[in-house]
Amino acid sequence: AKAPATYVDVYKSIRSEPSQTEWELPTKPPVIKAKTTLNVKGFGAKADGKTNDAEAFVKALAKLKETGGTLNVPAGDYLLKPLADASSYPFTKLRHHLLLASAKDVAIIGEKGKSNLIFTDPNAQGLRFLDVNGLIVKDLSLSLTTRRATRHNRALLDLSACRNAWVEGVTAKDSTGVGIQVECSTNVTVTDCSAINSGTNGFRLLGSRQLLF
């Protein structure tokens, strides 16, 4: 039988950080020291807008967590339907299409205006980063397949319990909830990003510090 999951409080260290009144604004992305370079198409992604590419992304993100480094997302339309065995996280009801958790020193880089991640479930977060230290997300276009009339409290891009993160050139379009969300995180820069036709907030900041938008 599968062993029960052990609860890990990924928010504990951020919750207990001392208050700071003086800190330097970040001027450039964190340095990704790991030299591994991955390509999501090397894990089977088709980017044809018809094939469910979620499994390829799940495999690529698992490898990225293991090695650190950069995951390249070439131009194309990546349809993403949540996988039953890879859309949840222990001790939360919050579901996702894609998740990278408890990782460090990673970058996900697309081709601006050409690398399109198309999510399908308004009740699941799109691309979620949880407890990641040293993160770059750049030049991705995120959208939902069908804009729903009712609001759903889910984000297309979510950074939670993250540190030293840089989000640049990301477009979030047609969410039924939030476009881009940063929660319980420290030292995060969001620059040259846009949220279009969001169901609730284009950008939402929750319980975070040292943010630059």
Side-chain angles (χ1 to χ4, degrees), residues 190-201:
V190 178
T191 181
D192 191 27
C193 294
S194 59
I196 302 168
N197 197 29
S198 301
T200 55
N201 308 96

Side-chain angles (χ1 to χ4, degrees), residues 93-112:
K93 291 292 186 180
L94 196 65
R95 296 174 58 249
H96 53 262
H97 292 75
L98 302 174
L99 171 72
L100 180 61
S102 301
K104 61 181 180 180
D105 202 25
V106 295
I108 300 180
I109 310 294
E111 297 181 34
K112 192 168 185 178

Side-chain angles (χ1 to χ4, degrees), residues 38-55:
L38 307 172
N39 189 311
V40 72
K41 287 192 172 182
F43 293 84
K46 302 298 183 184
D48 58 9
K50 300 177 182 179
T51 305
N52 185 10
D53 284 326
E55 184 175 359

Side-chain angles (χ1 to χ4, degrees), residues 31-67:
V31 176
I32 303 301
K33 297 177 182 179
K35 302 303 181 184
T36 300
T37 300
L38 307 172
N39 189 311
V40 72
K41 287 192 172 182
F43 293 84
K46 302 298 183 184
D48 58 9
K50 300 177 182 179
T51 305
N52 185 10
D53 284 326
E55 184 175 359
F57 270 89
V58 168
K59 290 179 178 178
L61 291 172
K63 187 65 176 180
L64 186 67
K65 176 179 177 177
E66 176 186 330
T67 63

